[in-house]
Amino acid sequence: MPSRDFFEDVYDVVRLIPPGRVTSYGAIAAYLGSKRGARMVGWAMNNCHARPDVPAQRVVNRNGVLSGKNFFGSPERMQELLEAEGIQIENDQIVHFDRCFWDPAVELG
DNA sequence: CGGGTGACTCGGC
DNA sequence: TGCCGAGCCACCC
């Protein structure tokens, strides 16, 4: 059930990510039907500044690296937000990423 | 209307 | 084992 905009679809999924969990751009893209649309998801997140209720910190790349940390208020903001949710981060990378991973295709469908 | 862009991903060397 | 190149699609200028 696609929304009016691709962006809103992305935001809807991101908002459903439980605290303490994370997912990847590719996982969201795959859930929305665009297997190779990870870049679009990332770009949608670039506009997340217009959506304060979107926990963008819970979206990382497939390696669990905080690739988008530089787009937050400060480069350390993303890590702080994730650590506040109980996620361990080391060298800009999520520890036990596979354990915290939240796949929308599995959890939602 | 066409081209450039991007917080990605995969496959090949 | 790690880097490089190509594919991908929606949006802005």
Side-chain angles (χ1 to χ4, degrees), chain A residues 6-7 10 14 23-46 59-62 67:
Chain A
F6 182 83
F7 280 21
V10 175
V14 174
T23 191
S24 68
Y25 303 94
I28 296 173
Y31 177 72
L32 295 179
S34 300
K35 210 169 187 176
R36 300 295 176 184
R39 308 195 74 156
M40 300 333 36
V41 175
W43 195 33
M45 301 310 294
N46 191 358
V59 184
V60 296
N61 66 1
R62 71 177 188 90
S67 53

Side-chain angles (χ1 to χ4, degrees), chain A residues 4-31:
Chain A
R4 294 177 283 104
D5 297 330
F6 182 83
F7 280 21
E8 292 211 357
D9 283 346
V10 175
Y11 300 143
D12 285 341
V13 176
V14 174
R15 274 190 283 254
L16 292 174
I17 302 173
R21 295 294 199 90
V22 292
T23 191
S24 68
Y25 303 94
I28 296 173
Y31 177 72

Side-chain angles (χ1 to χ4, degrees), chain A residues 4-109:
Chain A
R4 294 177 283 104
D5 297 330
F6 182 83
F7 280 21
E8 292 211 357
D9 283 346
V10 175
Y11 300 143
D12 285 341
V13 176
V14 174
R15 274 190 283 254
L16 292 174
I17 302 173
R21 295 294 199 90
V22 292
T23 191
S24 68
Y25 303 94
I28 296 173
Y31 177 72
L32 295 179
S34 300
K35 210 169 187 176
R36 300 295 176 184
R39 308 195 74 156
M40 300 333 36
V41 175
W43 195 33
M45 301 310 294
N46 191 358
N47 281 266
C48 79
H49 63 84
R51 303 288 191 280
D53 52 326
V54 176
Q57 74 276 14
R58 294 177 193 155
V59 184
V60 296
N61 66 1
R62 71 177 188 90
N63 293 318
V65 178
L66 280 54
S67 53
K69 66 170 188 171
N70 291 319
F71 281 68
F72 283 71
S74 82
E76 295 181 354
R77 183 68 178 281
M78 188 174 185
Q79 178 173 342
E80 290 175 357
L81 290 171
L82 289 173
E83 288 180 341
E85 298 180 356
I87 297 177
Q88 298 177 340
I89 299 174
E90 191 171 318
N91 195 17
D92 294 339
Q93 186 168 1
I94 296 177
V95 183
H96 304 312
F97 174 60
D98 55 340
R99 211 165 58 130
C100 306
F101 185 74
W102 181 86
D103 189 350
V106 175
E107 304 291 340
L108 300 179

